[in-house]
Amino acid sequence: MDLEDNRAEGWKYLNKQYFGDGERANYVNIPHVIAMVGLPARGKTYISKKLSRYLNWIGINTRVFNLGEYRRHATSAYTSHEFFRADNKEAMAIRQQCALDALHDVCEWLVKGGEVAVFDATNSTRERRRMIRDIVVHKMGFKLFFVESICDDPRIIEQNIMEVKVSSPDYTNIQNTDNVLNDFLLRIEHYKEKYEPLEENLESDYSFMKIYDTGEKVVVHKHEGHIQSRIVYYLMNIHIVPRTIYLTRHGESLHNIEGRIGGDSALSPRGQQYAGALAGYIETQAIPGLRVWTSWMRRAIQTVKDVKAPQERWKALNEIDAGICEEMTYAEIQEKYPSDFNARDANKFAYRYPRGESYEDLVARLEPVIMELERQGNVLVVSHQAVMRCLLAYFLDKSAADAGRVRLPRGTRRARRRRRRHAPPSPAGQYRTSHATRHMPHATYHTVIKLTPVAYGCREEHVALAVAAVDTHRPRPPVSTARHTPHDTCHTPHTTR
Amino acid sequence: MDLEDNRAEGWKYLNKQYFGDGERANYVNIPHVIAMVGLPARGKTYISKKLSRYLNWIGINTRVFNLGEYRRHATSAYTSHEFFRADNKEAMAIRQQCALDALHDVCEWLVKGGEVAVFDATNSTRERRRMIRDIVVHKMGFKLFFVESICDDPRIIEQNIMEVKVSSPDYTNIQNTDNVLNDFLLRIEHYKEKYEPLEENLESDYSFMKIYDTGEKVVVHKHEGHIQSRIVYYLMNIHIVPRTIYLTRHGESLHNIEGRIGGDSALSPRGQQYAGALAGYIETQAIPGLRVWTSWMRRAIQTVKDVKAPQERWKALNEIDAGICEEMTYAEIQEKYPSDFNARDANKFAYRYPRGESYEDLVARLEPVIMELERQGNVLVVSHQAVMRCLLAYFLDKSAADAGRVRLPRGTRRARRRRRRHAPPSPAGQYRTSHATRHMPHATYHTVIKLTPVAYGCREEHVALAVAAVDTHRPRPPVSTARHTPHDTCHTPHTTR
C-alpha cells in the first residue's frame, strides 16, 4: 500500500508538532495506540470500551476511535452485507480512506496530549496492520500494541450479535432480528475470506496480545513497558460471565449522627437496624456463590454481621483518611482550616487532607480491588462514601477526576428531591434548605446499589431498604460561595467526603 | 502410577488436619502449589527463587522445594549423567520416591500455614504432572498452577549451565568446567527423550503458563484467581538482561541535621555537595540508557539536579508518612507519644504512625515501583531511608517484615564501626556511644548502593562518595530497654524511620 497518500504532509506536520525539530529530552511517556484485531462480533468494541474505562479511571487519558462510525459517516445509510464483500472495489476504497481518516484523528489526538488511543476496527489483514505500524511507529514514533480477540464458539458470537449488533445504527431500518443476524453473519463471512490472524513468525516485530475464547487462553508477544503490561494484566482479568455486584455503604454510624467524618465509630441503632434489613434482603435474593467484602472499619464489619456468605476484609476499602480533619465536623474543619476547606471544594480530586489522602490516592489504592472485582462472580461490597464514589466512578465510566462528585443514594436522592421541593435550585436556595433542616438532619434511606454488566456498560439499580439514615452528602458549593464565612458553614449538611 | 503408595494414609491425615472433618466455612485463601515444568537449565530455579522472593516481599508466605536437593539427599555422591538415563530403573525408582517425599513436604508445609509452595523440578512428563495434580488438587484440595520455561537458544542454555550448574553440589568432584558442561548437556538429552511440554489439548483442565525464550512470548491457559494473576503479571515483567540498579538516599537535609523526621526540607550545604559528587560519579560511570527516578520530595529532587539523564518522579517513592510525628525528633516523639514509640520498637513492620503509614503500607505502595524496576535497564533511584529499606529488602531477599531493620550504608556502617571500636557490643555500650556523641552527631559518608543481578541473587556494592553526612540510623533497642525513660531517649541517634 502506498503510504505517500495525500496526507503525507499532514503526518509530517503532526510529527513535527509532537517532537519539535530536535530530540525530546527527558522523554518518558510515549503515547500508545492499541489496535484491535479480529472478525466482527468478537468483542472488540467491548474490550475497547472496557479498557478505555479502566485506563481513564486510573488516570491515563484514553479514547476509543471506532472505525464503524467513520464508515457510517462517510457513506449513506447501510443497506446490506454486500458493502463488505472483498470484491466490492468502490466500498474498499471508502473503507481504506476511512481507516486513514481515523488514524489521522488518532495521531492528532495523541499529539494534543492524549495518552492512549484505542483503534477499534477489525484490522484483520497483515497489510492493514503494516499500514498502521508505518504510520503509528515509523512516522509518528508512538508505541503500538495489537490486541486480537479470537473466538470460534458460535453461541458466544450469536449472543454478541443479538446483544449489541441488533441495536447498531446500521440496522435501524431492519426490524426483524433474524434478518439482522443473517446479514451480520454474512458480513462476518466476507471478512473471513481475507482474515489473517496475527502471526508471530510473519509479524515477528509486533508487540501483541491474543485473547482466545474470552480469556480461556492468552498469548502475549514482545510486550514492552508499563502501559502494555497493565493492559495485559487487566484484559487477563476481565470476564464476561453474567454476575451482579452489590454496593452499599455501612449502616448509619454514631459519627454520622454527629456529622463527624472518619474515625472508627460503631453503628447507631438505625445502622444496626440496617444490618438486619441487609441480611434479610440478601437472604431473599439467594445469590449464588455470593462473597462479602468489607473494609476493616467497625461500622462496615458490623453492617454485614448477619449476612450469610463468606466474608473478606480489605484494608484498601477503608474510608479516605481525612488526616488532621479526622473525627471533625465540616463546621469545625472550616473554622479551623478555612483555606483547606476551600482548596478541597476547588479541586476535590487532587486535594489531599493534610496528613491524609486525596481521591487520587484513593483510586490508586482501590485499583487492586477493582482488578479483583473483575475476576469475581457475585460480590456484596460494604464500604464508605468516598470509596463507593470511586468504585462507582469505575463502573459508571467516569474519569477518576469526577469520582469525588459521584452521587450516592444514601445522602443524595431523597435529600435533593426535598431540596427541590422546598426551595429554588439556586445557590442561595441550597443554603436556605440546609438552614431549614439544621436541627433536623436530612433523613434518607439506606440503599443497596445493584450493578449488572449489560452490553457495553453497567445497569445500575437502587434498592432502598426501609431503614432511614441521616443524609451525609455535602453538595459542592457554587463557585460564587467558595469563600464561606464561619456563619454559613454551620448550614452545610452533614458528613460528606 | 499407583497413588495408593505407602503414604496414602499420610495424605489423608494431612488432608484431615487441613480441612477438619467438616466443611471450612468462610474459606477464602486456598494454598497454592506452583509446579515448574521444563528441561534442565531453562531457568526454573531462577524463576522459582525470584518468584518466591517477590511473593514473600508482598507478604505471601512462600517457600521453594527443590527436587534436586531431595535427590542429592537420597543418593550417594553424584557420579555422572548416567543416573538420569530413562532406562536406569533403579535411579528412576529413587527419583519417583524423592518426588513423593518432596510433595509430601510441600503439602505438610501448606497445611501448617504456608501459602504458596513452589515445586522446583523438571516435571517434564504428563504422567508426573498427573501425579502432582492428583495429590495437590484431588487429595489436598489446593490450587495448582504450572509454570513451564521453554528455551531453545543454545547460548542461553550454555550460559545458564556455566553460571549456576558448574557450582552445583553435583559437580564438586569435577574440576574441569568443560567436563561439567558436557555431562550436563548429556543429562539434558536424557530428559529430552521423555519430555512432554504442557499441551492445552491433552491437559485441558490445567491452569498453566508457558514462558518462551525468557519472556519473548508468554501463553497463559485457564489461570484463575488473584495469586495466579499476580504470578503471571510478575513473571511477564522480569527479564534477564544484565543491568545495574543504583540506590541512594537523598543528600543530607536540613531536617536530618536537626534530627527531625519527615517534612519536606531542602538539602543542607553538605547535601548539596553530595548532589555535585553524585552527578560527577554518575558521569564517570557512563551508564548506558540510565534513567533517574526520585520521589516528589525536595531533598530527593535537589539531589539529582545535576545528574545528566532522563528523570522521573514517583509519588510512590516518597518517604514513609510519619503522620502526627512528622517533623518531630525522636526525643520529642518519645516524650509526647511514649506508647507509640514503644509499640513501634516492638513491631516496626505493622506499626502505623497515627494518621501515617507503616512499613506494611510502604511495601504495598512500592510494589508498582518494583514491578517497573524489573522491567527497566539501568536505573538510579534516589529516595528515603524507609523506602530504600523496603526496596533493598526486595533485592536482598528479606521478607517484608524484616524490611524495617535493613541496614543502610548512610547512617550505619561507619557509625557501627566506631561503636565497636569505642565500646563493647552490649546494649549498654550502644547507648554509651550514642551518649558520647550526643552533641556531635555521628558522621558517615553519603553512599551509593550498586545492585547487580548475579545467578540467583544480587551482588551488593557500596560506593561511598567522600561527602560526610549525619548518621540517621536509630538501632533497634534491645528488648530489656524497650521501655525508655525520657532520659535515655535523648541519647538515641538521629532521624531513622
Side-chain angles (χ1 to χ4, degrees):
Chain A
M1 120 116 228
D2 180 20
L3 280 168
E4 297 310 307
D5 64 281
N6 59 355
R7 271 194 192 69
E9 279 308 306
W11 299 118
K12 272 186 215 148
Y13 169 71
L14 274 182
N15 190 282
K16 199 164 159 188
Q17 259 198 311
Y18 187 66
F19 287 94
D21 286 319
E23 276 288 336
R24 280 167 77 96
N26 295 356
Y27 186 58
V28 175
N29 295 306
I30 301 174
H32 267 71
V33 174
I34 311 300
M36 301 303 302
V37 175
L39 292 172
R42 262 62 182 181
K44 294 185 302 299
T45 299
Y46 174 80
I47 292 171
S48 300
K49 291 197 180 202
K50 193 143 183 170
L51 183 59
S52 150
R53 168 154 74 90
Y54 168 72
L55 293 174
N56 276 314
W57 184 77
I58 61 173
I60 296 172
N61 188 11
T62 305
R63 184 185 286 181
V64 178
F65 294 80
N66 177 291
L67 186 54
E69 287 169 22
Y70 282 80
R71 190 246 312 149
R72 278 186 283 276
H73 191 76
T75 56
S76 49
Y78 177 79
T79 47
S80 86
H81 63 89
E82 301 282 344
F83 182 85
F84 293 96
R85 295 180 73 103
D87 56 7
N88 185 339
K89 287 255 160 46
E90 194 190 345
M92 273 302 204
I94 295 175
R95 288 162 67 192
Q96 173 75 9
Q97 192 55 49
C98 286
L100 283 170
D101 288 345
L103 277 175
H104 189 270
D105 289 354
V106 159
C107 294
E108 191 173 53
W109 183 74
L110 290 173
V111 164
K112 287 181 176 162
E115 291 176 276
V116 175
V118 183
F119 183 38
D120 178 14
T122 54
N123 299 321
S124 54
T125 63
R126 281 195 284 279
E127 186 190 328
R128 174 59 56 89
R129 294 193 287 270
R130 200 163 46 239
M131 177 189 102
I132 296 172
R133 193 263 322 263
D134 285 343
I135 291 173
V136 169
V137 179
H138 295 168
K139 284 187 194 276
M140 298 304 298
F142 300 152
K143 294 272 183 193
L144 175 63
F145 189 62
F146 289 106
V147 175
E148 181 169 16
S149 176
I150 296 164
C151 177
D152 293 322
D153 184 336
R155 286 164 309 172
I156 296 181
I157 296 164
E158 190 176 321
Q159 192 188 334
N160 196 338
I161 295 174
M162 297 312 280
E163 259 179 31
V164 298
K165 303 301 178 187
V166 164
S167 54
S168 154
D170 285 346
Y171 293 114
T172 40
N173 296 326
I174 306 180
Q175 299 299 325
N176 186 320
T177 53
D178 277 353
N179 292 348
V180 171
L181 180 60
N182 289 333
D183 184 86
F184 206 90
L185 288 172
L186 286 168
R187 205 157 137 174
I188 294 175
E189 288 308 313
H190 298 316
Y191 275 97
K192 266 192 185 164
E193 276 175 47
K194 297 206 124 198
Y195 176 37
E196 297 161 317
L198 279 159
E199 232 301 343
E200 62 196 77
N201 297 319
L202 297 172
E203 294 168 294
S204 59
D205 286 344
Y206 293 2
S207 298
F208 63 79
M209 166 178 192
K210 290 163 85 95
I211 304 171
Y212 294 82
D213 296 328
T214 74
E216 176 95 352
K217 179 176 140 187
V218 172
V219 172
V220 184
H221 183 257
K222 290 199 174 159
H223 68 292
E224 45 173 5
H226 176 62
I227 288 179
Q228 288 177 23
S229 257
R230 284 289 279 264
I231 289 171
V232 169
Y233 185 46
Y234 179 70
L235 293 182
M236 268 182 49
N237 284 317
I238 64 174
H239 63 63
I240 56 159
V241 180
R243 54 87 178 257
T244 300
I245 294 170
Y246 299 79
L247 295 179
T248 181
R249 282 180 67 194
H250 56 84
E252 182 189 81
S253 72
L254 296 172
H255 269 26
N256 284 159
I257 298 177
E258 293 171 18
R260 293 189 186 284
I261 67 173
D264 193 15
S265 68
L267 291 185
S268 73
R270 287 202 299 201
Q272 288 166 16
Q273 220 182 313
Y274 177 58
L278 181 66
Y281 168 71
I282 294 294
E283 191 154 8
T284 62
Q285 299 292 297
I287 306 154
L290 181 73
R291 289 170 176 281
V292 177
W293 295 1
T294 75
S295 73
W296 274 104
M297 291 181 147
R298 280 207 288 171
R299 54 196 187 278
I301 295 172
Q302 288 176 1
T303 301
V304 293
K305 84 174 173 27
D306 296 325
V307 175
K308 289 193 193 76
Q311 305 210 348
E312 279 177 76
R313 315 277 171 241
W314 286 76
K315 203 162 71 175
L317 285 173
N318 280 5
E319 182 53 314
I320 193 170
D321 182 348
I324 55 174
C325 301
E326 280 278 309
E327 309 199 57
M328 289 168 74
T329 65
Y330 275 99
E332 286 166 0
I333 296 170
Q334 187 165 16
E335 193 157 326
K336 220 168 154 184
Y337 308 108
S339 66
D340 274 293
F341 202 73
N342 294 338
R344 185 156 192 272
D345 277 339
N347 186 352
K348 196 170 181 179
F349 180 64
Y351 172 81
R352 174 180 283 162
Y353 282 106
R355 314 275 156 85
E357 290 177 304
S358 64
Y359 267 84
E360 201 174 357
D361 295 332
L362 211 51
V363 164
R365 90 157 130 95
L366 283 170
E367 204 254 341
V369 177
I370 287 294
M371 203 60 91
E372 196 59 30
L373 269 179
E374 283 294 350
R375 248 193 301 271
Q376 297 286 329
N378 298 312
V379 186
L380 165 64
V381 183
V382 179
S383 67
H384 306 264
Q385 187 155 281
V387 169
M388 262 187 69
R389 283 209 176 102
C390 290
L391 296 177
L392 270 180
Y394 171 78
F395 287 107
L396 304 180
D397 200 5
K398 314 262 184 213
S399 76
D402 290 331
R405 300 291 170 187
V406 170
R407 282 190 186 197
L408 294 191
R410 172 145 94 82
T412 54
R413 286 147 52 91
R414 274 178 59 91
R416 295 222 165 192
R417 221 174 296 129
R418 268 169 67 173
R419 232 171 263 136
R420 263 182 240 118
R421 254 201 328 268
H422 287 288
S426 68
Q430 281 191 352
Y431 285 88
R432 209 175 314 138
T433 314
S434 308
H435 186 73
T437 55
R438 182 174 165 190
H439 300 294
M440 188 193 70
H442 289 302
T444 177
Y445 287 112
H446 287 87
T447 301
V448 178
I449 302 181
K450 277 179 74 169
L451 296 172
T452 315
V454 286
Y456 298 143
C458 247
R459 189 175 62 231
E460 181 191 11
E461 294 163 81
H462 290 192
V463 181
L465 303 188
V467 180
V470 289
D471 179 1
T472 57
H473 180 77
R474 193 178 69 87
R476 181 183 196 165
V479 178
S480 58
T481 62
R483 290 202 193 147
H484 301 273
T485 63
H487 177 251
D488 71 18
T489 315
C490 315
H491 308 160
T492 57
H494 301 81
T495 61
T496 275
R497 5 181 89 202
Chain B
M1 121 115 225
D2 180 20
L3 280 168
E4 296 311 308
D5 64 283
N6 59 356
R7 272 194 190 70
E9 278 309 306
W11 299 119
K12 273 187 214 145
Y13 170 72
L14 275 182
N15 190 281
K16 199 165 159 187
Q17 260 197 311
Y18 187 66
F19 286 94
D21 286 319
E23 277 287 337
R24 280 167 77 96
N26 294 358
Y27 186 58
V28 176
N29 295 306
I30 301 175
H32 266 72
V33 174
I34 310 301
M36 300 303 302
V37 174
L39 292 172
R42 262 62 181 181
K44 295 185 301 300
T45 299
Y46 175 79
I47 293 172
S48 300
K49 291 196 182 203
K50 193 143 183 170
L51 183 59
S52 149
R53 169 153 76 90
Y54 168 71
L55 293 175
N56 275 313
W57 185 77
I58 61 172
I60 295 172
N61 188 10
T62 304
R63 184 184 287 181
V64 178
F65 294 80
N66 177 291
L67 186 54
E69 287 169 20
Y70 282 81
R71 191 247 311 148
R72 278 186 283 275
H73 191 76
T75 56
S76 48
Y78 176 79
T79 48
S80 87
H81 63 89
E82 301 283 344
F83 182 84
F84 293 97
R85 294 180 73 102
D87 56 7
N88 185 339
K89 287 255 159 48
E90 195 190 344
M92 273 302 205
I94 295 175
R95 289 161 67 192
Q96 174 75 11
Q97 191 56 48
C98 285
L100 283 170
D101 288 346
L103 277 175
H104 189 269
D105 289 354
V106 159
C107 294
E108 191 172 54
W109 183 73
L110 291 173
V111 163
K112 287 181 177 161
E115 291 176 275
V116 175
V118 183
F119 184 37
D120 178 14
T122 54
N123 299 320
S124 54
T125 63
R126 282 196 283 278
E127 186 190 329
R128 174 59 57 89
R129 294 194 286 271
R130 200 164 46 239
M131 178 189 102
I132 297 172
R133 194 263 322 262
D134 286 344
I135 290 173
V136 169
V137 179
H138 295 168
K139 284 188 194 276
M140 298 305 297
F142 300 153
K143 294 272 183 194
L144 176 63
F145 189 62
F146 290 105
V147 175
E148 181 168 16
S149 176
I150 296 164
C151 177
D152 294 321
D153 184 334
R155 285 164 311 171
I156 296 180
I157 296 164
E158 190 176 321
Q159 193 189 334
N160 196 339
I161 295 174
M162 298 312 279
E163 260 179 30
V164 298
K165 302 301 179 187
V166 164
S167 54
S168 155
D170 285 348
Y171 294 114
T172 41
N173 296 327
I174 307 180
Q175 298 299 326
N176 187 319
T177 53
D178 276 352
N179 292 347
V180 170
L181 179 61
N182 289 333
D183 184 85
F184 206 89
L185 288 172
L186 287 168
R187 206 156 137 174
I188 294 175
E189 288 308 312
H190 298 317
Y191 275 97
K192 266 192 185 164
E193 276 176 45
K194 298 205 124 198
Y195 176 37
E196 297 162 318
L198 279 159
E199 230 303 341
E200 63 196 77
N201 297 319
L202 297 171
E203 295 169 292
S204 60
D205 286 343
Y206 294 1
S207 298
F208 63 79
M209 166 178 192
K210 291 163 87 93
I211 304 171
Y212 294 81
D213 296 328
T214 73
E216 176 95 351
K217 178 176 142 189
V218 171
V219 172
V220 183
H221 183 257
K222 290 199 175 159
H223 68 292
E224 44 172 7
H226 176 63
I227 289 179
Q228 288 177 22
S229 256
R230 284 290 279 265
I231 290 171
V232 170
Y233 185 46
Y234 179 70
L235 293 182
M236 268 181 50
N237 284 316
I238 64 176
H239 63 63
I240 54 160
V241 180
R243 54 87 178 257
T244 300
I245 295 170
Y246 299 79
L247 295 179
T248 181
R249 282 179 68 194
H250 55 84
E252 183 188 79
S253 72
L254 296 172
H255 270 24
N256 284 160
I257 297 177
E258 293 171 17
R260 293 187 186 285
I261 68 173
D264 193 16
S265 68
L267 291 185
S268 72
R270 287 202 300 199
Q272 288 165 17
Q273 219 181 313
Y274 178 58
L278 181 66
Y281 168 71
I282 294 294
E283 191 153 7
T284 63
Q285 299 293 298
I287 306 154
L290 181 73
R291 290 170 175 282
V292 177
W293 294 1
T294 75
S295 72
W296 275 104
M297 291 180 147
R298 279 206 289 170
R299 55 195 186 279
I301 295 173
Q302 289 177 359
T303 302
V304 294
K305 84 174 173 24
D306 296 325
V307 175
K308 289 191 193 76
Q311 305 210 349
E312 280 177 76
R313 314 279 171 240
W314 286 75
K315 203 162 70 177
L317 285 173
N318 280 4
E319 182 54 313
I320 193 170
D321 181 348
I324 55 173
C325 300
E326 280 277 308
E327 308 199 58
M328 289 168 73
T329 65
Y330 276 97
E332 286 166 2
I333 295 170
Q334 187 166 14
E335 193 158 326
K336 217 165 158 185
Y337 308 108
S339 66
D340 273 293
F341 201 74
N342 295 337
R344 184 155 193 272
D345 277 339
N347 186 352
K348 196 170 182 179
F349 180 64
Y351 172 81
R352 174 181 282 162
Y353 282 105
R355 314 275 157 85
E357 290 177 304
S358 63
Y359 268 83
E360 201 173 358
D361 295 333
L362 212 51
V363 165
R365 88 158 132 94
L366 283 170
E367 204 254 341
V369 177
I370 287 294
M371 203 60 91
E372 196 59 31
L373 269 179
E374 283 294 351
R375 247 192 301 270
Q376 297 285 329
N378 298 313
V379 186
L380 164 65
V381 182
V382 179
S383 66
H384 305 263
Q385 187 156 281
V387 168
M388 262 186 71
R389 283 210 176 99
C390 289
L391 296 177
L392 269 180
Y394 171 78
F395 287 107
L396 303 180
D397 200 4
K398 315 262 183 213
S399 76
D402 290 331
R405 300 291 170 189
V406 169
R407 281 191 187 196
L408 295 190
R410 172 145 92 85
T412 53
R413 286 147 51 92
R414 272 178 59 91
R416 296 221 164 191
R417 220 173 297 128
R418 268 169 66 174
R419 234 172 262 138
R420 262 182 241 121
R421 252 202 330 267
H422 286 289
S426 68
Q430 281 190 353
Y431 284 88
R432 209 176 314 141
T433 315
S434 307
H435 185 73
T437 56
R438 181 172 165 192
H439 300 295
M440 188 196 69
H442 289 301
T444 178
Y445 287 112
H446 287 87
T447 301
V448 177
I449 303 181
K450 277 180 73 169
L451 297 172
T452 315
V454 285
Y456 298 143
C458 247
R459 188 175 62 232
E460 182 192 10
E461 293 163 81
H462 290 191
V463 182
L465 304 186
V467 181
V470 289
D471 179 1
T472 57
H473 180 76
R474 192 178 68 87
R476 181 182 195 164
V479 177
S480 57
T481 62
R483 290 200 194 149
H484 300 272
T485 62
H487 177 250
D488 71 17
T489 315
C490 314
H491 307 159
T492 57
H494 302 80
T495 60
T496 277
R497 7 181 87 201

